[in-house]
Protein backbone atom coordinates (compact mmCIF):
# COMPACT_ATOMS: atom_id res chain seq x y z
CA UNK A 1 0.00 0.00 0.00
CA UNK A 2 2.62 2.49 1.11
CA UNK A 3 4.90 1.43 -1.67
CA UNK A 4 2.28 1.91 -4.34
CA UNK A 5 1.40 5.28 -2.85
CA UNK A 6 5.07 6.19 -3.16
CA UNK A 7 5.03 4.94 -6.73
CA UNK A 8 2.01 7.11 -7.43
CA UNK A 9 3.58 10.19 -5.92
CA UNK A 10 6.76 9.72 -7.92
CA UNK A 11 4.78 9.31 -11.14
CA UNK A 12 2.72 12.35 -10.23
CA UNK A 13 5.85 14.43 -9.78
CA UNK A 14 7.46 13.25 -13.00
CA UNK A 15 4.32 13.85 -15.04
CA UNK A 16 3.86 17.14 -13.21
CA UNK A 17 7.26 18.27 -14.46
CA UNK A 18 5.94 17.78 -17.99
CA UNK A 19 2.85 19.86 -17.17
CA UNK A 20 5.21 22.51 -15.88
CA UNK A 21 7.30 22.44 -19.04
CA UNK A 22 4.22 22.70 -21.27
CA UNK A 23 3.02 25.65 -19.22
CA UNK A 24 6.44 27.30 -19.13
CA UNK A 25 6.25 28.43 -22.76
CA UNK A 26 2.67 29.59 -22.41
CA UNK A 27 3.55 31.51 -19.27
CA UNK A 28 6.60 33.15 -20.85
CA UNK A 29 4.52 34.32 -23.81
CA UNK A 30 1.68 35.52 -21.62
CA UNK A 31 3.97 37.27 -19.17
CA UNK A 32 5.75 39.31 -21.81
CA UNK A 33 3.13 39.91 -24.48
CA UNK A 34 -0.19 39.31 -22.67
CA UNK A 35 -1.15 37.00 -25.54
CA UNK A 36 -3.30 34.11 -24.43
CA UNK A 37 -2.12 31.61 -26.99
CA UNK A 38 -4.59 28.75 -26.65
CA UNK A 39 -2.96 27.16 -29.69
CA UNK A 40 -0.05 26.30 -27.39
CA UNK A 41 -1.11 22.65 -27.28
CA UNK A 42 -0.87 22.53 -31.07
CA UNK A 43 2.69 23.82 -30.83
CA UNK A 44 3.35 20.93 -28.42
CA UNK A 45 1.84 18.65 -31.06
CA UNK A 46 4.12 20.03 -33.79
CA UNK A 47 7.09 19.50 -31.50
CA UNK A 48 6.00 15.91 -31.00
CA UNK A 49 5.70 15.33 -34.74
CA UNK A 50 9.06 17.01 -35.37
CA UNK A 51 10.80 14.57 -33.08
CA UNK A 52 8.72 11.67 -34.37
CA UNK A 53 9.73 12.31 -38.00
CA UNK A 54 13.33 13.01 -37.00
CA UNK A 55 13.26 9.58 -35.39
CA UNK A 56 11.39 7.61 -38.04
CA UNK A 57 12.88 9.24 -41.14
CA UNK A 58 16.35 10.36 -40.04
CA UNK A 59 16.85 7.83 -37.28
CA UNK A 60 17.63 10.56 -34.78
CA UNK A 61 17.27 9.76 -31.10
CA UNK A 62 14.42 11.94 -29.73
CA UNK A 63 16.66 13.53 -27.13
CA UNK A 64 19.36 14.29 -29.66
CA UNK A 65 16.83 15.86 -32.00
CA UNK A 66 15.69 18.37 -29.34
CA UNK A 67 17.91 21.15 -30.78
CA UNK A 68 16.35 20.55 -34.21
CA UNK A 69 12.85 20.63 -32.74
CA UNK A 70 13.71 23.86 -30.95
CA UNK A 71 14.85 25.49 -34.18
CA UNK A 72 11.75 24.40 -36.09
CA UNK A 73 9.34 25.59 -33.41
CA UNK A 74 11.30 28.79 -32.81
CA UNK A 75 10.98 29.70 -36.49
CA UNK A 76 7.31 28.68 -36.51
CA UNK A 77 6.71 30.86 -33.45
CA UNK A 78 8.47 33.81 -35.05
CA UNK A 79 6.38 33.44 -38.22
CA UNK A 80 3.16 33.16 -36.23
CA UNK A 81 4.03 36.29 -34.30
CA UNK A 82 4.91 38.25 -37.40
CA UNK A 83 1.93 37.19 -39.48
CA UNK A 84 -0.79 37.01 -36.89
CA UNK A 85 -0.17 38.00 -33.29
CA UNK A 86 1.84 41.17 -33.93
CA UNK A 87 -1.36 42.75 -35.25
CA UNK A 88 -2.87 42.78 -31.79
CA UNK A 89 0.14 44.22 -30.00
CA UNK A 90 -1.14 47.79 -29.85
CA UNK A 91 -4.43 46.86 -28.20
CA UNK A 92 -4.98 47.59 -24.51
CA UNK A 93 -4.21 44.63 -22.29
CA UNK A 94 -7.70 43.32 -21.73
CA UNK A 95 -8.80 43.35 -25.34
CA UNK A 96 -5.42 41.94 -26.30
CA UNK A 97 -6.10 38.89 -24.14
CA UNK A 98 -9.59 38.46 -25.59
CA UNK A 99 -8.55 38.97 -29.20
CA UNK A 100 -5.55 36.68 -29.05
CA UNK A 101 -7.71 34.05 -27.37
CA UNK A 102 -10.04 34.10 -30.37
CA UNK A 103 -7.26 34.25 -32.93
CA UNK A 104 -5.37 31.42 -31.26
CA UNK A 105 -8.50 29.31 -31.04
CA UNK A 106 -8.94 29.68 -34.77
CA UNK A 107 -5.31 28.81 -35.32
CA UNK A 108 -5.64 25.68 -33.22
CA UNK A 109 -8.46 24.43 -35.45
CA UNK A 110 -6.40 25.17 -38.56
CA UNK A 111 -3.36 23.44 -37.09
CA UNK A 112 -5.34 20.36 -36.12
CA UNK A 113 -6.69 20.02 -39.64
CA UNK A 114 -3.31 20.61 -41.22
CA UNK A 115 -1.89 17.91 -38.98
CA UNK A 116 -4.72 15.59 -39.92
CA UNK A 117 -4.05 16.24 -43.59
CA UNK A 118 -0.26 15.84 -43.50
CA UNK A 119 0.41 13.56 -40.53
CA UNK A 120 -2.83 11.48 -40.74
CA UNK A 121 -5.01 10.68 -37.77
CA UNK A 122 -2.85 7.73 -36.69
CA UNK A 123 -1.53 7.80 -33.17
CA UNK A 124 2.23 7.99 -33.17
CA UNK A 125 4.84 7.46 -30.53
CA UNK A 126 8.56 7.00 -30.22
CA UNK A 127 10.05 3.86 -28.72
CA UNK A 128 13.76 3.20 -28.53
CA UNK A 129 15.70 0.36 -26.95
CA UNK A 130 16.38 2.01 -23.61
CA UNK A 131 12.82 3.20 -23.04
CA UNK A 132 11.67 0.12 -21.19
CA UNK A 133 14.53 0.41 -18.75
CA UNK A 134 14.00 1.60 -15.24
CA UNK A 135 15.80 1.74 -11.95
CA UNK A 136 14.36 0.98 -8.57
CA UNK A 137 14.88 3.08 -5.49
CA UNK A 138 13.33 2.12 -2.16
CA UNK A 139 10.91 -0.17 -3.94
CA UNK A 140 9.75 2.59 -6.30
CA UNK A 141 10.28 2.19 -10.05
CA UNK A 142 11.74 5.05 -12.03
CA UNK A 143 11.22 4.39 -15.77
CA UNK A 144 13.90 6.21 -17.76
CA UNK A 145 11.61 8.12 -20.16
CA UNK A 146 9.70 9.56 -17.19
CA UNK A 147 12.90 10.47 -15.38
CA UNK A 148 14.00 12.17 -18.59
CA UNK A 149 11.00 14.51 -18.24
CA UNK A 150 12.30 15.84 -14.97
CA UNK A 151 15.88 16.13 -16.21
CA UNK A 152 14.88 17.94 -19.43
CA UNK A 153 12.47 20.25 -17.59
CA UNK A 154 15.08 21.23 -15.01
CA UNK A 155 17.68 21.81 -17.75
CA UNK A 156 15.35 24.10 -19.68
CA UNK A 157 14.20 25.92 -16.56
CA UNK A 158 17.84 26.66 -15.76
CA UNK A 159 18.63 27.71 -19.33
CA UNK A 160 15.62 30.02 -19.38
CA UNK A 161 16.50 31.54 -16.02
CA UNK A 162 20.10 32.10 -17.11
CA UNK A 163 18.95 33.81 -20.29
CA UNK A 164 16.50 36.00 -18.39
CA UNK A 165 18.86 36.90 -15.54
CA UNK A 166 22.29 37.07 -17.12
CA UNK A 167 22.02 38.20 -20.72
CA UNK A 168 21.22 41.65 -22.01
CA UNK A 169 18.47 40.13 -24.15
CA UNK A 170 16.96 38.44 -21.12
CA UNK A 171 17.08 41.65 -19.13
CA UNK A 172 15.35 43.40 -22.01
CA UNK A 173 12.62 40.74 -21.87
CA UNK A 174 12.14 41.24 -18.14
CA UNK A 175 12.18 45.00 -18.48
CA UNK A 176 9.54 44.86 -21.23
CA UNK A 177 7.42 42.56 -19.05
CA UNK A 178 7.54 45.00 -16.15
CA UNK A 179 6.96 48.18 -18.12
CA UNK A 180 7.09 48.25 -21.89
CA UNK A 181 7.07 52.02 -22.09
CA UNK A 182 10.05 52.45 -19.80
CA UNK A 183 11.74 49.60 -21.68
CA UNK A 184 11.40 51.36 -25.00
CA UNK A 185 12.72 54.56 -23.43
CA UNK A 186 15.84 52.53 -22.56
CA UNK A 187 16.32 51.93 -26.27
CA UNK A 188 14.89 48.40 -26.20
CA UNK A 189 13.13 47.40 -29.41
CA UNK A 190 10.06 45.95 -27.73
CA UNK A 191 8.71 44.43 -30.94
CA UNK A 192 11.88 42.38 -31.17
CA UNK A 193 11.42 41.37 -27.54
CA UNK A 194 7.84 40.27 -28.22
CA UNK A 195 8.89 38.28 -31.27
CA UNK A 196 11.73 36.63 -29.39
CA UNK A 197 9.59 35.75 -26.37
CA UNK A 198 6.89 34.26 -28.57
CA UNK A 199 9.44 32.22 -30.49
CA UNK A 200 11.10 31.05 -27.27
CA UNK A 201 7.74 30.04 -25.84
CA UNK A 202 6.98 28.06 -28.99
CA UNK A 203 10.40 26.39 -28.79
CA UNK A 204 9.67 25.34 -25.19
CA UNK A 205 6.36 23.87 -26.37
CA UNK A 206 8.35 21.92 -28.94
CA UNK A 207 10.62 20.44 -26.28
CA UNK A 208 7.56 19.43 -24.28
CA UNK A 209 6.19 17.81 -27.46
CA UNK A 210 9.25 15.60 -27.67
CA UNK A 211 8.66 14.40 -24.12
CA UNK A 212 5.00 13.72 -24.88
CA UNK A 213 5.93 11.68 -27.95
CA UNK A 214 8.37 9.67 -25.87
CA UNK A 215 6.09 9.06 -22.90
CA UNK A 216 2.63 9.01 -24.39
CA UNK A 217 1.45 9.23 -27.96
CA UNK A 218 0.82 12.06 -30.35
CA UNK A 219 -2.08 12.71 -32.72
CA UNK A 220 -3.58 15.77 -34.39
CA UNK A 221 -6.26 16.41 -31.76
CA UNK A 222 -3.98 16.19 -28.73
CA UNK A 223 -3.45 19.93 -28.40
CA UNK A 224 -6.52 21.06 -26.52
CA UNK A 225 -5.89 18.72 -23.60
CA UNK A 226 -2.38 20.06 -23.18
CA UNK A 227 -3.52 23.66 -23.51
CA UNK A 228 -6.00 23.02 -20.69
CA UNK A 229 -3.29 21.56 -18.49
CA UNK A 230 -1.00 24.47 -19.26
CA UNK A 231 -3.71 27.00 -18.42
CA UNK A 232 -4.42 25.31 -15.10
CA UNK A 233 -0.72 25.21 -14.27
CA UNK A 234 -0.18 28.81 -15.30
CA UNK A 235 -2.96 29.98 -13.01
CA UNK A 236 -1.66 27.78 -10.16
CA UNK A 237 1.85 29.14 -10.49
CA UNK A 238 0.88 32.76 -10.89
CA UNK A 239 0.65 34.38 -14.33
CA UNK A 240 4.05 34.98 -15.81
CA UNK A 241 5.92 33.56 -12.80
CA UNK A 242 8.56 31.24 -14.30
CA UNK A 243 9.68 29.10 -11.33
CA UNK A 244 6.11 29.18 -9.99
CA UNK A 245 4.95 27.60 -13.23
CA UNK A 246 7.13 24.53 -12.76
CA UNK A 247 6.01 24.16 -9.14
CA UNK A 248 2.41 24.59 -10.32
CA UNK A 249 3.01 21.73 -12.74
CA UNK A 250 4.33 19.50 -9.98
CA UNK A 251 1.32 20.33 -7.81
CA UNK A 252 -1.10 19.45 -10.61
CA UNK A 253 0.76 16.19 -11.25
CA UNK A 254 0.63 15.27 -7.58
CA UNK A 255 -3.05 16.21 -7.27
CA UNK A 256 -3.94 14.02 -10.21
CA UNK A 257 -1.91 11.05 -9.03
CA UNK A 258 -3.19 11.15 -5.46
CA UNK A 259 -6.74 11.50 -6.75
CA UNK A 260 -6.44 8.44 -8.91
CA UNK A 261 -4.86 6.58 -5.99
CA UNK A 262 -7.39 7.44 -3.29
CA UNK A 263 -10.53 7.95 -5.34
CA UNK A 264 -10.44 6.75 -8.91
CA UNK A 265 -8.45 7.52 -12.00
CA UNK A 266 -11.73 8.62 -13.60
CA UNK A 267 -11.57 11.71 -11.42
CA UNK A 268 -8.00 12.70 -12.29
CA UNK A 269 -8.96 15.47 -14.67
CA UNK A 270 -11.76 16.65 -12.42
CA UNK A 271 -9.35 17.08 -9.52
CA UNK A 272 -7.17 19.33 -11.65
CA UNK A 273 -10.12 21.49 -12.64
CA UNK A 274 -11.39 21.69 -9.06
CA UNK A 275 -7.94 22.84 -7.99
CA UNK A 276 -8.04 25.42 -10.78
CA UNK A 277 -11.39 26.76 -9.57
CA UNK A 278 -10.31 26.84 -5.94
CA UNK A 279 -7.22 28.84 -6.80
CA UNK A 280 -9.24 31.24 -8.95
CA UNK A 281 -11.71 31.78 -6.13
CA UNK A 282 -9.35 32.08 -3.19
CA UNK A 283 -6.02 33.14 -4.66
CA UNK A 284 -6.58 34.58 -8.13
CA UNK A 285 -3.00 35.85 -8.35
CA UNK A 286 -1.86 32.21 -8.23
CA UNK A 287 -0.20 30.22 -5.47
CA UNK A 288 3.14 31.95 -6.03
CA UNK A 289 2.11 35.13 -7.81
CA UNK A 290 2.39 38.48 -6.16
CA UNK A 291 -0.34 41.03 -6.72
CA UNK A 292 2.12 43.48 -8.28
CA UNK A 293 3.32 41.06 -10.95
CA UNK B 1 19.52 70.95 -30.71
CA UNK B 2 15.84 70.09 -30.42
CA UNK B 3 13.39 71.92 -32.61
CA UNK B 4 9.62 71.45 -32.78
CA UNK B 5 7.69 73.08 -35.58
CA UNK B 6 3.88 73.33 -35.65
CA UNK B 7 3.36 70.02 -33.87
CA UNK B 8 -0.24 68.85 -33.61
CA UNK B 9 -1.08 65.86 -31.47
CA UNK B 10 -4.30 63.93 -31.03
CA UNK B 11 -5.03 61.80 -28.05
CA UNK B 12 -7.70 59.35 -29.19
CA UNK B 13 -10.10 61.70 -31.03
CA UNK B 14 -9.25 64.79 -29.05
CA UNK B 15 -6.62 67.23 -30.07
CA UNK B 16 -4.21 67.56 -27.16
CA UNK B 17 -1.52 69.78 -28.65
CA UNK B 18 -2.22 72.67 -31.03
CA UNK B 19 0.53 73.78 -33.35
CA UNK B 20 3.32 73.86 -30.81
CA UNK B 21 6.72 75.19 -31.83
CA UNK B 22 9.63 75.35 -29.46
CA UNK B 23 13.35 74.84 -29.37
CA UNK B 24 16.09 73.81 -26.97
CA UNK B 25 19.64 74.99 -27.60
CA UNK B 26 22.79 73.14 -26.63
CA UNK B 27 23.78 73.66 -22.99
CA UNK B 28 20.44 75.12 -21.92
CA UNK B 29 17.96 74.18 -19.28
CA UNK B 30 14.55 74.79 -20.80
CA UNK B 31 11.40 74.34 -18.75
CA UNK B 32 7.92 73.61 -20.02
CA UNK B 33 5.44 74.60 -17.37
CA UNK B 34 1.71 74.50 -17.22
CA UNK B 35 -1.19 73.09 -15.26
CA UNK B 36 -2.19 69.47 -14.99
CA UNK B 37 -3.72 68.25 -18.24
CA UNK B 38 -2.14 70.95 -20.37
CA UNK B 39 -0.53 68.29 -22.55
CA UNK B 40 3.04 68.46 -21.23
CA UNK B 41 3.48 64.71 -20.83
CA UNK B 42 1.84 64.02 -24.18
CA UNK B 43 4.33 66.34 -25.85
CA UNK B 44 7.27 64.55 -24.23
CA UNK B 45 5.89 61.17 -25.27
CA UNK B 46 5.74 62.34 -28.85
CA UNK B 47 9.30 63.66 -28.78
CA UNK B 48 10.47 60.29 -27.38
CA UNK B 49 8.56 58.41 -30.07
CA UNK B 50 6.10 56.69 -27.73
CA UNK B 51 3.20 58.47 -29.39
CA UNK B 52 2.90 59.87 -32.92
CA UNK B 53 2.07 63.43 -33.82
CA UNK B 54 -0.60 64.10 -36.43
CA UNK B 55 1.46 66.76 -38.17
CA UNK B 56 4.50 68.94 -37.67
CA UNK B 57 8.23 68.47 -37.61
CA UNK B 58 10.56 67.42 -34.82
CA UNK B 59 14.25 67.88 -35.42
CA UNK B 60 16.94 66.56 -33.12
CA UNK B 61 20.61 67.25 -33.94
CA UNK B 62 19.74 67.66 -37.59
CA UNK B 63 17.66 64.50 -37.82
CA UNK B 64 13.91 64.32 -38.41
CA UNK B 65 12.69 62.15 -35.54
CA UNK B 66 8.91 62.52 -35.58
CA UNK B 67 8.48 59.15 -37.28
CA UNK B 68 11.36 57.32 -35.60
CA UNK B 69 10.94 54.43 -33.16
CA UNK B 70 11.70 55.23 -29.51
CA UNK B 71 14.77 52.97 -29.43
CA UNK B 72 16.32 54.90 -32.35
CA UNK B 73 15.74 58.21 -30.65
CA UNK B 74 17.57 57.00 -27.54
CA UNK B 75 20.41 55.84 -29.76
CA UNK B 76 20.63 59.35 -31.25
CA UNK B 77 21.22 60.75 -27.77
CA UNK B 78 17.83 61.83 -26.47
CA UNK B 79 16.78 60.24 -23.21
CA UNK B 80 13.59 60.69 -21.24
CA UNK B 81 12.89 60.22 -17.55
CA UNK B 82 9.19 59.35 -17.66
CA UNK B 83 6.56 60.63 -15.29
CA UNK B 84 6.82 58.89 -11.93
CA UNK B 85 10.19 57.41 -12.86
CA UNK B 86 8.80 54.08 -14.09
CA UNK B 87 11.77 52.18 -12.70
CA UNK B 88 11.84 48.39 -13.02
CA UNK B 89 10.74 47.56 -9.49
CA UNK B 90 11.37 43.83 -9.81
CA UNK B 91 15.03 44.31 -10.60
CA UNK B 92 18.05 45.42 -8.63
CA UNK B 93 19.29 49.00 -8.75
CA UNK B 94 22.34 47.86 -10.71
CA UNK B 95 20.19 45.99 -13.26
CA UNK B 96 18.07 49.11 -13.74
CA UNK B 97 21.20 51.12 -14.45
CA UNK B 98 22.57 48.47 -16.80
CA UNK B 99 19.35 48.60 -18.77
CA UNK B 100 19.83 52.33 -19.06
CA UNK B 101 22.98 51.54 -21.03
CA UNK B 102 21.13 49.18 -23.38
CA UNK B 103 21.82 51.08 -26.59
CA UNK B 104 24.99 49.98 -28.40
CA UNK B 105 26.62 53.37 -28.19
CA UNK B 106 26.34 53.39 -24.38
CA UNK B 107 27.05 49.71 -23.77
CA UNK B 108 30.71 50.17 -24.61
CA UNK B 109 31.13 52.87 -21.98
CA UNK B 110 28.94 51.20 -19.41
CA UNK B 111 31.51 51.07 -16.62
CA UNK B 112 32.60 54.69 -16.95
CA UNK B 113 29.01 55.84 -17.06
CA UNK B 114 28.20 53.76 -14.02
CA UNK B 115 30.98 55.49 -12.09
CA UNK B 116 29.71 58.85 -13.28
CA UNK B 117 26.15 58.08 -12.15
CA UNK B 118 27.37 56.81 -8.78
CA UNK B 119 29.31 60.03 -8.40
CA UNK B 120 26.18 62.09 -9.02
CA UNK B 121 24.01 59.83 -6.84
CA UNK B 122 26.26 58.15 -4.23
CA UNK B 123 23.10 56.72 -2.67
CA UNK B 124 22.59 54.49 -5.70
CA UNK B 125 26.05 52.97 -5.23
CA UNK B 126 25.14 52.09 -1.64
CA UNK B 127 21.94 50.43 -2.79
CA UNK B 128 23.12 48.83 -5.99
CA UNK B 129 22.18 45.25 -5.13
CA UNK B 130 18.86 46.19 -3.54
CA UNK B 131 15.52 45.55 -5.30
CA UNK B 132 14.46 48.81 -6.91
CA UNK B 133 10.93 48.32 -5.56
CA UNK B 134 12.20 48.75 -2.00
CA UNK B 135 13.63 52.22 -2.61
CA UNK B 136 12.11 55.38 -1.16
CA UNK B 137 10.41 57.94 -3.41
CA UNK B 138 13.48 60.16 -3.60
CA UNK B 139 15.77 57.23 -4.33
CA UNK B 140 13.44 56.00 -7.06
CA UNK B 141 13.61 59.36 -8.77
CA UNK B 142 17.41 59.31 -8.48
CA UNK B 143 17.43 55.86 -10.04
CA UNK B 144 15.15 56.98 -12.86
CA UNK B 145 17.47 59.89 -13.66
CA UNK B 146 20.59 57.78 -13.21
CA UNK B 147 19.15 55.15 -15.53
CA UNK B 148 18.49 57.78 -18.20
CA UNK B 149 22.03 59.14 -17.77
CA UNK B 150 23.45 55.66 -18.39
CA UNK B 151 22.60 56.02 -22.07
CA UNK B 152 25.01 58.99 -22.14
CA UNK B 153 22.44 61.35 -23.70
CA UNK B 154 23.07 64.76 -25.23
CA UNK B 155 19.62 65.92 -24.23
CA UNK B 156 17.83 64.76 -21.11
CA UNK B 157 14.07 65.25 -20.86
CA UNK B 158 12.61 65.12 -17.36
CA UNK B 159 8.90 64.65 -16.76
CA UNK B 160 7.99 66.03 -13.33
CA UNK B 161 11.14 65.04 -11.45
CA UNK B 162 9.81 66.74 -8.32
CA UNK B 163 6.51 64.88 -8.32
CA UNK B 164 5.69 63.33 -4.97
CA UNK B 165 8.92 64.43 -3.31
CA UNK B 166 9.21 66.21 0.02
CA UNK B 167 10.20 69.92 -0.33
CA UNK B 168 13.74 69.32 0.92
CA UNK B 169 14.21 66.57 -1.65
CA UNK B 170 12.76 68.74 -4.40
CA UNK B 171 15.38 71.36 -3.66
CA UNK B 172 18.13 68.76 -3.79
CA UNK B 173 16.70 67.34 -7.02
CA UNK B 174 16.85 70.74 -8.68
CA UNK B 175 20.42 71.24 -7.45
CA UNK B 176 21.34 67.92 -9.03
CA UNK B 177 19.73 68.89 -12.32
CA UNK B 178 21.73 72.10 -12.31
CA UNK B 179 24.90 70.14 -11.60
CA UNK B 180 24.25 67.72 -14.46
CA UNK B 181 23.66 70.70 -16.72
CA UNK B 182 26.99 72.22 -15.69
CA UNK B 183 28.64 68.99 -16.81
CA UNK B 184 27.48 69.79 -20.31
CA UNK B 185 24.13 68.06 -20.59
CA UNK B 186 21.24 69.93 -22.16
CA UNK B 187 18.00 69.64 -20.21
CA UNK B 188 14.35 69.91 -21.15
CA UNK B 189 12.25 69.93 -18.04
CA UNK B 190 8.51 69.50 -17.67
CA UNK B 191 7.24 70.71 -14.34
CA UNK B 192 4.25 71.75 -12.30
CA UNK B 193 6.56 73.14 -9.66
CA UNK B 194 6.63 76.52 -11.35
CA UNK B 195 8.65 78.59 -8.90
CA UNK B 196 11.61 76.23 -8.64
CA UNK B 197 11.73 75.35 -12.30
CA UNK B 198 11.58 78.97 -13.43
CA UNK B 199 14.41 79.83 -11.05
CA UNK B 200 16.45 76.97 -12.48
CA UNK B 201 15.69 77.28 -16.19
CA UNK B 202 17.43 79.56 -18.64
CA UNK B 203 14.28 79.76 -20.72
CA UNK B 204 10.75 78.52 -20.29
CA UNK B 205 7.56 77.91 -22.23
CA UNK B 206 4.13 78.10 -20.73
CA UNK B 207 1.68 75.51 -22.02
CA UNK B 208 -2.04 75.82 -21.44
CA UNK B 209 -4.81 73.72 -23.02
CA UNK B 210 -2.35 72.36 -25.55
CA UNK B 211 -1.09 75.76 -26.72
CA UNK B 212 2.07 77.70 -25.94
CA UNK B 213 0.77 80.88 -24.30
CA UNK B 214 3.99 82.35 -23.03
CA UNK B 215 7.69 82.16 -23.54
CA UNK B 216 10.72 83.87 -22.15
CA UNK B 217 13.70 83.82 -19.84
CA UNK B 218 12.95 81.79 -16.74
CA UNK B 219 13.28 84.71 -14.38
CA UNK B 220 11.20 86.98 -16.63
CA UNK B 221 8.35 84.52 -16.72
CA UNK B 222 8.34 84.57 -12.92
CA UNK B 223 7.12 88.13 -13.12
CA UNK B 224 4.76 87.42 -16.02
CA UNK B 225 1.31 88.49 -14.88
CA UNK B 226 -0.70 85.41 -15.88
CA UNK B 227 1.96 83.07 -14.48
CA UNK B 228 1.94 84.95 -11.21
CA UNK B 229 -1.80 84.90 -10.85
CA UNK B 230 -2.32 81.31 -12.05
CA UNK B 231 0.54 79.48 -10.40
CA UNK B 232 2.18 81.48 -7.72
CA UNK B 233 -0.90 82.93 -6.11
Amino acid sequence: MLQSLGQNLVFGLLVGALYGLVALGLSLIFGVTKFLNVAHGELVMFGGYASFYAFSMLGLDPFLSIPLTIIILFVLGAILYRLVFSRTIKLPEESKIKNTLLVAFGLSVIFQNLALRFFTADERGITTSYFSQAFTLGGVRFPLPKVAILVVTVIFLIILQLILKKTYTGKAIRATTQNWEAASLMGIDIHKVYLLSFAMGAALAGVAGTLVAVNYSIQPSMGLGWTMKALIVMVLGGLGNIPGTIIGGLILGLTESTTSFFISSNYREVAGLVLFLLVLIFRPQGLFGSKEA
Amino acid sequence: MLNLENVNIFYKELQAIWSVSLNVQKGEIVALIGPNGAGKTTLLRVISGLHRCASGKIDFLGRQIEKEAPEKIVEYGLSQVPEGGKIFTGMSVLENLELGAFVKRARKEKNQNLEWVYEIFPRLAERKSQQAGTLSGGERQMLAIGRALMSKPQLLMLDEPSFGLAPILVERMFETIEKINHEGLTIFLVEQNVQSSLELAHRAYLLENGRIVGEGKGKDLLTFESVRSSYLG
Side-chain angles (χ1 to χ4, degrees), chain A residues 47-234:
Chain A
Y49 277 107
S51 51
F52 170 75
Y53 284 113
F55 177 71
S56 64
M57 291 166 73
L58 307 173
L60 270 176
D61 181 277
F63 292 104
L64 295 180
S65 69
I66 285 181
L68 184 69
T69 307
I70 286 178
I71 293 170
I72 294 172
L73 267 290
F74 187 92
V75 171
L76 179 65
I79 294 172
L80 273 183
Y81 174 80
R82 258 291 144 77
L83 289 184
V84 184
F85 287 94
S86 63
R87 287 161 212 282
T88 66
I89 204 74
K90 289 239 164 72
L91 297 172
E93 186 172 316
E94 203 183 322
S95 47
K96 191 150 73 176
I97 296 175
K98 287 179 193 158
N99 277 287
T100 51
L101 180 86
L102 285 173
V103 165
F105 186 71
L107 280 176
S108 76
V109 175
I110 295 172
F111 288 160
Q112 282 175 39
N113 283 287
L114 283 175
L116 209 54
R117 170 76 183 76
F118 291 105
F119 308 146
T120 76
D122 296 346
E123 273 194 27
R124 313 277 198 182
I126 301 173
T127 320
T128 69
S129 52
Y130 55 88
F131 277 15
S132 51
Q133 290 175 25
F135 60 87
T136 315
L137 210 78
V140 177
R141 274 188 84 236
F142 289 81
L144 286 188
K146 288 236 159 42
V147 174
I149 294 176
L150 191 63
V151 175
V152 170
T153 299
V154 168
I155 289 174
F156 278 92
L157 178 64
I158 292 171
I159 292 176
L160 185 63
Q161 288 290 61
L162 283 179
I163 292 175
L164 290 179
K165 297 259 149 112
K166 301 286 177 207
T167 69
Y168 246 112
T169 311
K171 285 177 186 173
I173 292 176
R174 284 162 59 214
T176 308
T177 309
Q178 288 183 30
N179 192 320
W180 67 267
E181 258 185 29
S184 58
L185 288 177
M186 299 301 103
I188 294 168
D189 183 346
I190 57 166
H191 296 287
K192 228 187 243 171
V193 167
Y194 289 150
L195 175 108
L196 195 65
S197 315
F198 199 92
M200 280 166 62
L204 284 169
V207 176
T210 300
L211 294 174
V212 174
V214 165
N215 280 284
Y216 305 93
S217 62
I218 52 172
Q219 25 126 337
S221 62
M222 65 182 268
L224 185 62
W226 288 101
T227 300
M228 287 300 295
K229 296 265 193 259
L231 284 174
I232 295 173
V233 168
M234 194 167 84

Side-chain angles (χ1 to χ4, degrees), chain B residues 52-70:
Chain B
R52 291 275 168 258
C53 56
S55 65
K57 275 188 194 158
I58 304 174
D59 185 280
F60 176 65
L61 291 172
R63 283 192 179 96
Q64 298 285 114
I65 59 165
E66 73 269 2
K67 290 197 175 68
E68 286 280 18

Side-chain angles (χ1 to χ4, degrees), chain B residues 199-223:
Chain B
E199 279 168 10
L200 175 75
H202 302 115
R203 282 188 309 119
Y205 293 91
L206 177 59
L207 190 73
E208 256 173 47
N209 296 321
R211 290 181 173 86
I212 300 271
V213 294
E215 165 187 1
K217 288 208 171 114
K219 298 207 168 78
D220 294 347
L221 268 186
L222 263 181
T223 54

Side-chain angles (χ1 to χ4, degrees), chain A residues 164-166 168-176 178-191 292, chain B residues 45 48 50 70-71 74 79-80 82 86-91 95-96 98-103 107 110 147:
Chain A
L164 290 179
K165 297 259 149 112
K166 301 286 177 207
Y168 246 112
T169 311
K171 285 177 186 173
I173 292 176
R174 284 162 59 214
T176 308
Q178 288 183 30
N179 192 320
W180 67 267
E181 258 185 29
S184 58
L185 288 177
M186 299 301 103
I188 294 168
D189 183 346
I190 57 166
H191 296 287
E292 205 183 6
Chain B
R45 287 171 57 88
S48 293
L50 289 173
E71 62 270 13
V74 183
S79 195
Q80 193 204 135
K86 299 220 168 84
I87 54 168
F88 304 116
T89 49
M91 295 190 197
E95 278 181 311
N96 267 274
E98 282 173 346
L99 278 164
F102 188 85
V103 291
R107 229 183 275 189
K110 191 176 81 181
R147 190 180 63 175

Side-chain angles (χ1 to χ4, degrees), chain B residues 131-193:
Chain B
Q131 281 285 98
T134 64
L135 297 178
S136 71
E139 291 165 345
R140 280 171 187 235
Q141 197 54 259
M142 288 178 199
L143 179 56
I145 296 176
R147 190 180 63 175
L149 291 176
M150 286 297 290
S151 71
K152 203 77 209 205
Q154 311 244 11
L155 171 62
L156 183 68
M157 300 200 297
L158 297 151
D159 195 350
E160 303 266 354
S162 75
F163 182 78
L165 297 185
I168 172 87
L169 289 176
V170 173
E171 206 174 298
R172 230 179 278 161
M173 183 58 65
F174 279 97
E175 279 165 18
T176 309
I177 293 169
E178 194 162 26
K179 192 171 130 202
I180 299 169
N181 175 250
H182 281 313
E183 294 191 20
L185 201 65
T186 311
I187 289 179
F188 186 41
L189 175 72
V190 159
E191 261 297 344
Q192 281 191 68
N193 191 328

